[in-house]
Amino acid sequence: MAYADGIEKFVETVNNALPPDFYTYPVEQQRVLYDGLTEALPIPVPDGVRHRDETVTHQGRTARIRIYEPAGRADDAVLFYIRGGGFVIGSLHSHHSLVAELADRTGLAVVALDFGMAPENPFPGPLEDCYAGLCGTLANLSALGLGGIDPQRAVLCGESSGANMAVVLSMMARDRGGPRLRGQAVISPVLDFTRWRHGGEDAPLLSGGEMEFYTACYCPEAAQAEHTYVSPLLGGAFDGLPPAYVVGCEMDSLCVDAEKYAALLRENGTPVTYVREKGMVHAPVRARRVSEPAAEFFARYCAAVAELAGRGTRP
């Protein structure tokens, strides 16, 4: 396997800003360094995209959200984006330009779901925060300035641990009789945490030690890693889920999770498109300004999201 054009430079840039052993640093320092990637890999917010922060409540749980609207909303679907970061690092700031660009390319309103992070807020805290954000938003669209949006045309999006939560939220919505989702679009999902309780293989930008640390933070009790809502590949039910677009990256140790998930959806009658991105490392969404293949990957992703929502992307 070889890096796609520009990806080696991307890996070097990330490693310079976020050293490979960063997960051994105090958690607050990890979070500062991770948010600093926005300076190491600056990407401007597209012109005309507006955003605002809100809070919503569902069944007594309050959740933070950030709403993005493109210059001229083109359709009545809505996207929900859940960031990566191993449930431990990341923020609305760390993925701000990414979510804004998703809104711009699709012409759709996008809601970034925020959540309390581990280890302070372990499983199921982040999931319940995101589920409250999803349900609370769809139940209060007009009050949030999103009048005209169809609550049955929601698509869940996310990368890495955010892709894990997008998958699990799809299951929770089905199991709890929650929102009827139009689709799910996930990049580099981590769907079996039992592989990482004692370390594992290293890959560019995702080491076994890092995954072991994230697993311990999110699942402080070892048995939690086996829960269906943590590791869906272990005994999860894959029927009745929304149509999916699943991305695996060739040089990512989690590519096997994406492949297995796509196969299980297909076996259970769920429409799914699986894409294996050649020469790409784990969740390469930040590489879209330093790698032409990464930019093309993100353009394909946005087009697939728009298709799941029922519309085409802007040129």
PDB file of all heavy atoms in Angstrom, residues 66-91:
ATOM      1  N   ARG A  66     -24.889  22.984  17.310  1.00  0.00           N
ATOM      2  CA  ARG A  66     -24.540  24.142  16.487  1.00  0.00           C
ATOM      3  C   ARG A  66     -25.210  23.949  15.131  1.00  0.00           C
ATOM      4  O   ARG A  66     -25.007  22.916  14.477  1.00  0.00           O
ATOM      5  CB  ARG A  66     -23.028  24.295  16.336  1.00  0.00           C
ATOM      6  CG  ARG A  66     -22.613  25.473  15.436  1.00  0.00           C
ATOM      7  CD  ARG A  66     -21.108  25.743  15.499  1.00  0.00           C
ATOM      8  NE  ARG A  66     -20.743  26.272  16.815  1.00  0.00           N
ATOM      9  CZ  ARG A  66     -19.478  26.542  17.178  1.00  0.00           C
ATOM     10  NH1 ARG A  66     -18.487  26.323  16.317  1.00  0.00           N
ATOM     11  NH2 ARG A  66     -19.222  27.030  18.372  1.00  0.00           N
ATOM     12  N   ILE A  67     -25.990  24.922  14.730  1.00  0.00           N
ATOM     13  CA  ILE A  67     -26.750  24.861  13.490  1.00  0.00           C
ATOM     14  C   ILE A  67     -26.009  25.634  12.405  1.00  0.00           C
ATOM     15  O   ILE A  67     -25.596  26.778  12.605  1.00  0.00           O
ATOM     16  CB  ILE A  67     -28.156  25.448  13.682  1.00  0.00           C
ATOM     17  CG1 ILE A  67     -28.939  24.630  14.735  1.00  0.00           C
ATOM     18  CG2 ILE A  67     -28.923  25.481  12.361  1.00  0.00           C
ATOM     19  CD1 ILE A  67     -30.249  25.265  15.152  1.00  0.00           C
ATOM     20  N   TYR A  68     -25.851  25.005  11.236  1.00  0.00           N
ATOM     21  CA  TYR A  68     -25.230  25.632  10.073  1.00  0.00           C
ATOM     22  C   TYR A  68     -26.277  25.723   8.958  1.00  0.00           C
ATOM     23  O   TYR A  68     -26.953  24.736   8.652  1.00  0.00           O
ATOM     24  CB  TYR A  68     -24.064  24.795   9.559  1.00  0.00           C
ATOM     25  CG  TYR A  68     -22.911  24.676  10.519  1.00  0.00           C
ATOM     26  CD1 TYR A  68     -22.962  23.807  11.605  1.00  0.00           C
ATOM     27  CD2 TYR A  68     -21.754  25.430  10.348  1.00  0.00           C
ATOM     28  CE1 TYR A  68     -21.901  23.680  12.484  1.00  0.00           C
ATOM     29  CE2 TYR A  68     -20.674  25.312  11.220  1.00  0.00           C
ATOM     30  CZ  TYR A  68     -20.761  24.442  12.285  1.00  0.00           C
ATOM     31  OH  TYR A  68     -19.705  24.324  13.165  1.00  0.00           O
ATOM     32  N   GLU A  69     -26.359  26.890   8.355  1.00  0.00           N
ATOM     33  CA  GLU A  69     -27.255  27.055   7.211  1.00  0.00           C
ATOM     34  C   GLU A  69     -26.477  27.646   6.049  1.00  0.00           C
ATOM     35  O   GLU A  69     -25.764  28.643   6.212  1.00  0.00           O
ATOM     36  CB  GLU A  69     -28.429  27.953   7.574  1.00  0.00           C
ATOM     37  CG  GLU A  69     -29.381  27.318   8.587  1.00  0.00           C
ATOM     38  CD  GLU A  69     -30.714  28.033   8.648  1.00  0.00           C
ATOM     39  OE1 GLU A  69     -31.545  27.809   7.753  1.00  0.00           O
ATOM     40  OE2 GLU A  69     -30.892  28.818   9.590  1.00  0.00           O
ATOM     41  N   PRO A  70     -26.609  27.035   4.871  1.00  0.00           N
ATOM     42  CA  PRO A  70     -25.910  27.560   3.694  1.00  0.00           C
ATOM     43  C   PRO A  70     -26.577  28.836   3.195  1.00  0.00           C
ATOM     44  O   PRO A  70     -27.666  29.201   3.651  1.00  0.00           O
ATOM     45  CB  PRO A  70     -26.065  26.423   2.687  1.00  0.00           C
ATOM     46  CG  PRO A  70     -27.371  25.785   3.066  1.00  0.00           C
ATOM     47  CD  PRO A  70     -27.449  25.871   4.573  1.00  0.00           C
ATOM     48  N   ALA A  71     -25.917  29.489   2.276  1.00  0.00           N
ATOM     49  CA  ALA A  71     -26.500  30.685   1.657  1.00  0.00           C
ATOM     50  C   ALA A  71     -27.635  30.220   0.745  1.00  0.00           C
ATOM     51  O   ALA A  71     -27.401  29.799  -0.380  1.00  0.00           O
ATOM     52  CB  ALA A  71     -25.441  31.430   0.864  1.00  0.00           C
ATOM     53  N   GLY A  72     -28.835  30.250   1.248  1.00  0.00           N
ATOM     54  CA  GLY A  72     -29.975  29.788   0.472  1.00  0.00           C
ATOM     55  C   GLY A  72     -30.178  28.296   0.610  1.00  0.00           C
ATOM     56  O   GLY A  72     -29.599  27.513  -0.144  1.00  0.00           O
ATOM     57  N   ARG A  73     -30.956  27.903   1.603  1.00  0.00           N
ATOM     58  CA  ARG A  73     -31.224  26.484   1.805  1.00  0.00           C
ATOM     59  C   ARG A  73     -31.948  25.917   0.590  1.00  0.00           C
ATOM     60  O   ARG A  73     -32.931  26.479   0.120  1.00  0.00           O
ATOM     61  CB  ARG A  73     -32.066  26.306   3.060  1.00  0.00           C
ATOM     62  CG  ARG A  73     -32.022  24.891   3.633  1.00  0.00           C
ATOM     63  CD  ARG A  73     -33.115  24.660   4.672  1.00  0.00           C
ATOM     64  NE  ARG A  73     -33.175  25.691   5.693  1.00  0.00           N
ATOM     65  CZ  ARG A  73     -34.255  25.899   6.438  1.00  0.00           C
ATOM     66  NH1 ARG A  73     -35.340  25.173   6.242  1.00  0.00           N
ATOM     67  NH2 ARG A  73     -34.256  26.826   7.358  1.00  0.00           N
ATOM     68  N   ALA A  74     -31.455  24.802   0.065  1.00  0.00           N
ATOM     69  CA  ALA A  74     -31.937  24.285  -1.204  1.00  0.00           C
ATOM     70  C   ALA A  74     -32.964  23.168  -1.070  1.00  0.00           C
ATOM     71  O   ALA A  74     -33.535  22.749  -2.076  1.00  0.00           O
ATOM     72  CB  ALA A  74     -30.751  23.786  -2.038  1.00  0.00           C
ATOM     73  N   ASP A  75     -33.202  22.694   0.137  1.00  0.00           N
ATOM     74  CA  ASP A  75     -34.111  21.545   0.279  1.00  0.00           C
ATOM     75  C   ASP A  75     -34.546  21.455   1.735  1.00  0.00           C
ATOM     76  O   ASP A  75     -34.007  22.145   2.602  1.00  0.00           O
ATOM     77  CB  ASP A  75     -33.396  20.258  -0.153  1.00  0.00           C
ATOM     78  CG  ASP A  75     -34.365  19.145  -0.509  1.00  0.00           C
ATOM     79  OD1 ASP A  75     -34.998  19.241  -1.573  1.00  0.00           O
ATOM     80  OD2 ASP A  75     -34.481  18.202   0.276  1.00  0.00           O
ATOM     81  N   ASP A  76     -35.539  20.583   1.993  1.00  0.00           N
ATOM     82  CA  ASP A  76     -36.095  20.501   3.343  1.00  0.00           C
ATOM     83  C   ASP A  76     -35.543  19.335   4.154  1.00  0.00           C
ATOM     84  O   ASP A  76     -36.088  18.979   5.197  1.00  0.00           O
ATOM     85  CB  ASP A  76     -37.622  20.433   3.291  1.00  0.00           C
ATOM     86  CG  ASP A  76     -38.152  19.172   2.609  1.00  0.00           C
ATOM     87  OD1 ASP A  76     -37.340  18.390   2.071  1.00  0.00           O
ATOM     88  OD2 ASP A  76     -39.387  18.976   2.611  1.00  0.00           O
ATOM     89  N   ALA A  77     -34.434  18.738   3.701  1.00  0.00           N
ATOM     90  CA  ALA A  77     -33.766  17.701   4.497  1.00  0.00           C
ATOM     91  C   ALA A  77     -32.815  18.367   5.484  1.00  0.00           C
ATOM     92  O   ALA A  77     -32.491  19.550   5.379  1.00  0.00           O
ATOM     93  CB  ALA A  77     -33.006  16.741   3.587  1.00  0.00           C
ATOM     94  N   VAL A  78     -32.350  17.586   6.469  1.00  0.00           N
ATOM     95  CA  VAL A  78     -31.411  18.099   7.462  1.00  0.00           C
ATOM     96  C   VAL A  78     -30.370  17.023   7.759  1.00  0.00           C
ATOM     97  O   VAL A  78     -30.673  15.829   7.794  1.00  0.00           O
ATOM     98  CB  VAL A  78     -32.147  18.520   8.755  1.00  0.00           C
ATOM     99  CG1 VAL A  78     -32.886  17.344   9.393  1.00  0.00           C
ATOM    100  CG2 VAL A  78     -31.179  19.160   9.757  1.00  0.00           C
ATOM    101  N   LEU A  79     -29.133  17.460   7.934  1.00  0.00           N
ATOM    102  CA  LEU A  79     -28.038  16.563   8.260  1.00  0.00           C
ATOM    103  C   LEU A  79     -27.616  16.764   9.709  1.00  0.00           C
ATOM    104  O   LEU A  79     -27.677  17.874  10.230  1.00  0.00           O
ATOM    105  CB  LEU A  79     -26.831  16.831   7.353  1.00  0.00           C
ATOM    106  CG  LEU A  79     -27.096  16.935   5.851  1.00  0.00           C
ATOM    107  CD1 LEU A  79     -25.807  17.252   5.108  1.00  0.00           C
ATOM    108  CD2 LEU A  79     -27.726  15.652   5.323  1.00  0.00           C
ATOM    109  N   PHE A  80     -27.183  15.687  10.339  1.00  0.00           N
ATOM    110  CA  PHE A  80     -26.604  15.750  11.687  1.00  0.00           C
ATOM    111  C   PHE A  80     -25.188  15.213  11.599  1.00  0.00           C
ATOM    112  O   PHE A  80     -24.964  14.116  11.082  1.00  0.00           O
ATOM    113  CB  PHE A  80     -27.425  14.919  12.672  1.00  0.00           C
ATOM    114  CG  PHE A  80     -28.756  15.525  13.003  1.00  0.00           C
ATOM    115  CD1 PHE A  80     -29.859  15.310  12.182  1.00  0.00           C
ATOM    116  CD2 PHE A  80     -28.923  16.319  14.131  1.00  0.00           C
ATOM    117  CE1 PHE A  80     -31.082  15.877  12.479  1.00  0.00           C
ATOM    118  CE2 PHE A  80     -30.139  16.881  14.443  1.00  0.00           C
ATOM    119  CZ  PHE A  80     -31.237  16.665  13.611  1.00  0.00           C
ATOM    120  N   TYR A  81     -24.218  16.000  12.105  1.00  0.00           N
ATOM    121  CA  TYR A  81     -22.825  15.579  12.048  1.00  0.00           C
ATOM    122  C   TYR A  81     -22.284  15.360  13.460  1.00  0.00           C
ATOM    123  O   TYR A  81     -22.469  16.202  14.346  1.00  0.00           O
ATOM    124  CB  TYR A  81     -21.946  16.614  11.341  1.00  0.00           C
ATOM    125  CG  TYR A  81     -20.616  16.022  10.922  1.00  0.00           C
ATOM    126  CD1 TYR A  81     -20.478  15.409   9.681  1.00  0.00           C
ATOM    127  CD2 TYR A  81     -19.522  16.019  11.786  1.00  0.00           C
ATOM    128  CE1 TYR A  81     -19.277  14.828   9.305  1.00  0.00           C
ATOM    129  CE2 TYR A  81     -18.321  15.431  11.420  1.00  0.00           C
ATOM    130  CZ  TYR A  81     -18.211  14.837  10.180  1.00  0.00           C
ATOM    131  OH  TYR A  81     -17.032  14.238   9.815  1.00  0.00           O
ATOM    132  N   ILE A  82     -21.600  14.207  13.628  1.00  0.00           N
ATOM    133  CA  ILE A  82     -20.980  13.874  14.920  1.00  0.00           C
ATOM    134  C   ILE A  82     -19.482  13.748  14.692  1.00  0.00           C
ATOM    135  O   ILE A  82     -19.026  12.933  13.891  1.00  0.00           O
ATOM    136  CB  ILE A  82     -21.544  12.573  15.500  1.00  0.00           C
ATOM    137  CG1 ILE A  82     -23.078  12.560  15.453  1.00  0.00           C
ATOM    138  CG2 ILE A  82     -21.067  12.404  16.952  1.00  0.00           C
ATOM    139  CD1 ILE A  82     -23.702  11.265  15.901  1.00  0.00           C
ATOM    140  N   ARG A  83     -18.724  14.550  15.394  1.00  0.00           N
ATOM    141  CA  ARG A  83     -17.272  14.617  15.195  1.00  0.00           C
ATOM    142  C   ARG A  83     -16.558  13.382  15.748  1.00  0.00           C
ATOM    143  O   ARG A  83     -17.059  12.677  16.624  1.00  0.00           O
ATOM    144  CB  ARG A  83     -16.708  15.852  15.896  1.00  0.00           C
ATOM    145  CG  ARG A  83     -16.849  15.794  17.416  1.00  0.00           C
ATOM    146  CD  ARG A  83     -16.239  16.998  18.107  1.00  0.00           C
ATOM    147  NE  ARG A  83     -16.290  16.876  19.559  1.00  0.00           N
ATOM    148  CZ  ARG A  83     -17.275  17.333  20.317  1.00  0.00           C
ATOM    149  NH1 ARG A  83     -18.309  17.954  19.754  1.00  0.00           N
ATOM    150  NH2 ARG A  83     -17.236  17.188  21.639  1.00  0.00           N
ATOM    151  N   GLY A  84     -15.354  13.167  15.243  1.00  0.00           N
ATOM    152  CA  GLY A  84     -14.481  12.152  15.800  1.00  0.00           C
ATOM    153  C   GLY A  84     -13.651  12.716  16.949  1.00  0.00           C
ATOM    154  O   GLY A  84     -13.797  13.862  17.343  1.00  0.00           O
ATOM    155  N   GLY A  85     -12.743  11.879  17.458  1.00  0.00           N
ATOM    156  CA  GLY A  85     -11.903  12.287  18.578  1.00  0.00           C
ATOM    157  C   GLY A  85     -11.885  11.273  19.702  1.00  0.00           C
ATOM    158  O   GLY A  85     -11.476  11.589  20.817  1.00  0.00           O
ATOM    159  N   GLY A  86     -12.328  10.061  19.410  1.00  0.00           N
ATOM    160  CA  GLY A  86     -12.238   9.000  20.408  1.00  0.00           C
ATOM    161  C   GLY A  86     -13.082   9.214  21.646  1.00  0.00           C
ATOM    162  O   GLY A  86     -12.789   8.635  22.697  1.00  0.00           O
ATOM    163  N   PHE A  87     -14.121  10.053  21.550  1.00  0.00           N
ATOM    164  CA  PHE A  87     -15.000  10.404  22.676  1.00  0.00           C
ATOM    165  C   PHE A  87     -14.277  11.252  23.730  1.00  0.00           C
ATOM    166  O   PHE A  87     -14.880  11.634  24.731  1.00  0.00           O
ATOM    167  CB  PHE A  87     -15.573   9.165  23.387  1.00  0.00           C
ATOM    168  CG  PHE A  87     -16.179   8.137  22.494  1.00  0.00           C
ATOM    169  CD1 PHE A  87     -15.483   6.981  22.157  1.00  0.00           C
ATOM    170  CD2 PHE A  87     -17.452   8.305  21.989  1.00  0.00           C
ATOM    171  CE1 PHE A  87     -16.045   6.022  21.333  1.00  0.00           C
ATOM    172  CE2 PHE A  87     -18.030   7.349  21.160  1.00  0.00           C
ATOM    173  CZ  PHE A  87     -17.320   6.207  20.826  1.00  0.00           C
ATOM    174  N   VAL A  88     -12.996  11.569  23.510  1.00  0.00           N
ATOM    175  CA  VAL A  88     -12.166  12.206  24.536  1.00  0.00           C
ATOM    176  C   VAL A  88     -11.727  13.608  24.129  1.00  0.00           C
ATOM    177  O   VAL A  88     -11.678  14.514  24.965  1.00  0.00           O
ATOM    178  CB  VAL A  88     -10.924  11.334  24.843  1.00  0.00           C
ATOM    179  CG1 VAL A  88      -9.969  12.033  25.807  1.00  0.00           C
ATOM    180  CG2 VAL A  88     -11.350   9.973  25.408  1.00  0.00           C
ATOM    181  N   ILE A  89     -11.375  13.785  22.861  1.00  0.00           N
ATOM    182  CA  ILE A  89     -10.883  15.062  22.367  1.00  0.00           C
ATOM    183  C   ILE A  89     -11.802  15.552  21.251  1.00  0.00           C
ATOM    184  O   ILE A  89     -12.643  14.815  20.747  1.00  0.00           O
ATOM    185  CB  ILE A  89      -9.434  14.952  21.864  1.00  0.00           C
ATOM    186  CG1 ILE A  89      -9.312  13.846  20.811  1.00  0.00           C
ATOM    187  CG2 ILE A  89      -8.497  14.686  23.028  1.00  0.00           C
ATOM    188  CD1 ILE A  89      -7.924  13.692  20.216  1.00  0.00           C
ATOM    189  N   GLY A  90     -11.632  16.818  20.879  1.00  0.00           N
ATOM    190  CA  GLY A  90     -12.480  17.399  19.844  1.00  0.00           C
ATOM    191  C   GLY A  90     -13.509  18.335  20.444  1.00  0.00           C
ATOM    192  O   GLY A  90     -13.762  18.334  21.652  1.00  0.00           O
ATOM    193  N   SER A  91     -14.094  19.164  19.593  1.00  0.00           N
ATOM    194  CA  SER A  91     -15.045  20.173  20.042  1.00  0.00           C
ATOM    195  C   SER A  91     -15.817  20.677  18.835  1.00  0.00           C
ATOM    196  O   SER A  91     -15.515  20.320  17.689  1.00  0.00           O
ATOM    197  CB  SER A  91     -14.301  21.345  20.698  1.00  0.00           C
ATOM    198  OG  SER A  91     -13.482  21.999  19.737  1.00  0.00           O
TER     199      SER A  91
END
